[in-house]
Amino acid sequence: MIGSANGARIGITGLGAHVPDRVVTNDDLARYVDTSDEWIVERTGIHERRMITDDQALTDIALPAARAALADAAATPEEIDLLICATVTPDMMFPTASALMADDLGADKAAAYDLLAGCTGFMYAVAQAYGMLAAGLSRRALVIGGDVLSSILDWTDRSTLVLFGDGAGAVVMEPVERGGFLGFELGADGGGGVHLQYPGSGSRRFENPEAMLKMNGREVYKFATRVMVSSAEAVLAECGRTIDEVDVYVPHQANKRIIDHAVGKLGVPFERTVVNVDRFGNTSSGSIPLALADARADGRLRDGALVLMTGMGAGLTWGSALLEWTERRNA
């Protein structure tokens, strides 16, 4: 699916992010599996990640991000009429994380639902919010992307344990007078889903009922390096823009090697690329909003900056968005 904006100017007017306090280093993981800091850094670029404690769940880290985004947009919870939470690790299947958070926030006028698209969840969610806002079905939306993948990892599997961390980010989306989203490209390949799956987590019965994240790293790497480039190129072409015009490139923070490959193939100057996988690991749906928060903190998200975001993950899914950054409503 690909499309450019239909004339409605919808932008991000508030941004917030939050990670757990608990820092888990590569040396910490070496107590569970045969690995080392040198081995992990060489293959992934990750030095540390954040993880929840045993008494925490997704909403514990997503709510602070949501509150920060609302404050940043000078919006009250009562003004939110749509709340989408992109996650594969909700507190429970139902009630949904979105409904729980709408209640905690006091967003009692909001339609609320969870969206499941793996690490691409945030990209799917902002595209859906754009469509609802552009159609006039919503006036102000809160989109949350977050995961606590540490809760579904096999702590004896080195191939997955070293990659993932926990984190969440949120954005407020609404009509703006200038800038905003220019276009989206989304896709899915269920045939490749076997390479990154969570068996035993749904109604399908498996011989081994133990529900743990399973990944074929080689195949996922091949998929990721392909779609990170093709999706970005597709949305740029759809919007009539070139990579040279991109001021800030925000790739999904899965692995530093994947980011390096995409940067090289696309021809993005590395100084325009946001990288925080070294500090947070792969936070799934939280990855891109966390990276956006870092980009703004270091001054790169200036008014009018052209921002390219691309995610990919379980499904298999992928998605890109292009927008002109505006931080304030009607600014």
Side-chain angles (χ1 to χ4, degrees), residues 33 82 126 131 152 174 176 203 237 247 280 311 328:
V33 292
L82 174 65
V126 294
I152 62 171
E174 59 190 310
V176 292
S203 59
D247 298 300
F280 299 133
R328 289 289 182 270

Side-chain angles (χ1 to χ4, degrees), residues 158-210:
R158 179 178 68 174
S159 66
T160 56
L161 181 61
V162 303
L163 295 175
F164 297 101
D166 304 334
V171 296
V172 173
M173 292 174 55
E174 59 190 310
V176 292
E177 289 187 347
R178 64 177 188 275
F181 284 93
L182 304 179
F184 299 91
E185 196 270 343
L186 305 172
D189 173 18
V194 66
H195 299 307
L196 183 51
Q197 60 177 331
Y198 183 16
S201 60
S203 59
R204 175 69 61 191
R205 294 186 180 274
F206 287 80
E207 289 185 10
N208 178 5
E210 184 181 60

Side-chain angles (χ1 to χ4, degrees), residues 106-320:
D108 55 4
K109 297 181 179 64
Y113 65 91
D114 289 1
L115 183 152
L116 194 157
C119 297
T120 320
F122 183 75
M123 301 312 304
Y124 269 66
V126 294
Q128 286 197 2
Y130 174 90
M132 295 282 274
L133 288 157
L137 296 176
S138 170
R139 293 181 176 85
R140 185 178 276 180
L142 176 62
V143 177
I144 302 165
D147 274 301
V148 287
L149 290 176
S150 64
S151 64
I152 62 171
L153 292 177
D154 179 352
W155 284 63
T156 67
D157 179 9
R158 179 178 68 174
S159 66
T160 56
L161 181 61
V162 303
L163 295 175
F164 297 101
D166 304 334
V171 296
V172 173
M173 292 174 55
E174 59 190 310
V176 292
E177 289 187 347
R178 64 177 188 275
F181 284 93
L182 304 179
F184 299 91
E185 196 270 343
L186 305 172
D189 173 18
V194 66
H195 299 307
L196 183 51
Q197 60 177 331
Y198 183 16
S201 60
S203 59
R204 175 69 61 191
R205 294 186 180 274
F206 287 80
E207 289 185 10
N208 178 5
E210 184 181 60
M212 296 287 183
L213 186 151
K214 309 290 183 185
M215 184 175 72
N216 180 334
R218 183 182 300 274
E219 291 301 319
V220 171
Y221 181 86
K222 287 162 58 177
F223 159 76
T225 52
R226 174 173 57 84
V227 299
M228 287 284 282
V229 175
S230 62
S231 182
E233 291 177 336
V235 76
L236 285 167
E238 173 69 16
C239 297
R241 300 298 187 99
T242 68
I243 198 68
D244 292 338
E245 297 176 81
V246 173
D247 298 300
V248 185
Y249 174 45
V250 186
H252 170 49
Q253 306 291 306
N255 182 312
K256 181 63 161 48
R257 290 170 60 196
I258 294 172
I259 296 172
D260 288 343
H261 176 89
V263 166
K265 286 290 187 179
L266 290 170
V268 184
F270 202 81
E271 60 271 16
R272 299 183 190 175
T273 305
V274 184
V275 179
N276 64 15
V277 68
D278 56 319
R279 294 182 288 125
F280 299 133
N282 181 348
T283 57
S284 190
S285 296
S287 168
I288 287 177
L290 281 170
L292 279 174
D294 273 2
R296 191 172 68 174
D298 64 24
R300 284 192 270 184
L301 289 185
R302 65 184 185 279
D303 192 55
L306 188 64
V307 182
L308 171 64
M309 301 178 285
T310 299
M312 52 78 199
L316 297 168
T317 58
W318 64 89
S320 290

Side-chain angles (χ1 to χ4, degrees), residues 38-86:
E38 181 181 12
W39 189 92
I40 296 171
V41 172
E42 179 183 350
R43 289 161 177 80
T44 71
I46 300 169
H47 291 269
E48 62 183 35
R49 71 285 294 147
R50 302 296 185 94
M51 290 185 175
I52 59 170
T53 55
D54 290 341
D55 61 344
Q56 291 180 310
L58 171 71
T59 58
D60 293 309
I61 64 169
L63 278 166
R67 291 189 175 103
L70 288 169
D72 190 47
T76 65
E78 294 80 9
E79 293 174 310
I80 298 298
D81 55 17
L82 174 65
L83 193 159
I84 306 173
C85 178

Side-chain angles (χ1 to χ4, degrees), residues 10-28:
I10 308 297
I12 292 173
T13 60
L15 172 63
H18 185 77
V19 293
D21 293 332
R22 178 187 172 204
V23 178
V24 179
T25 67
N26 293 338
D27 289 334
D28 291 331

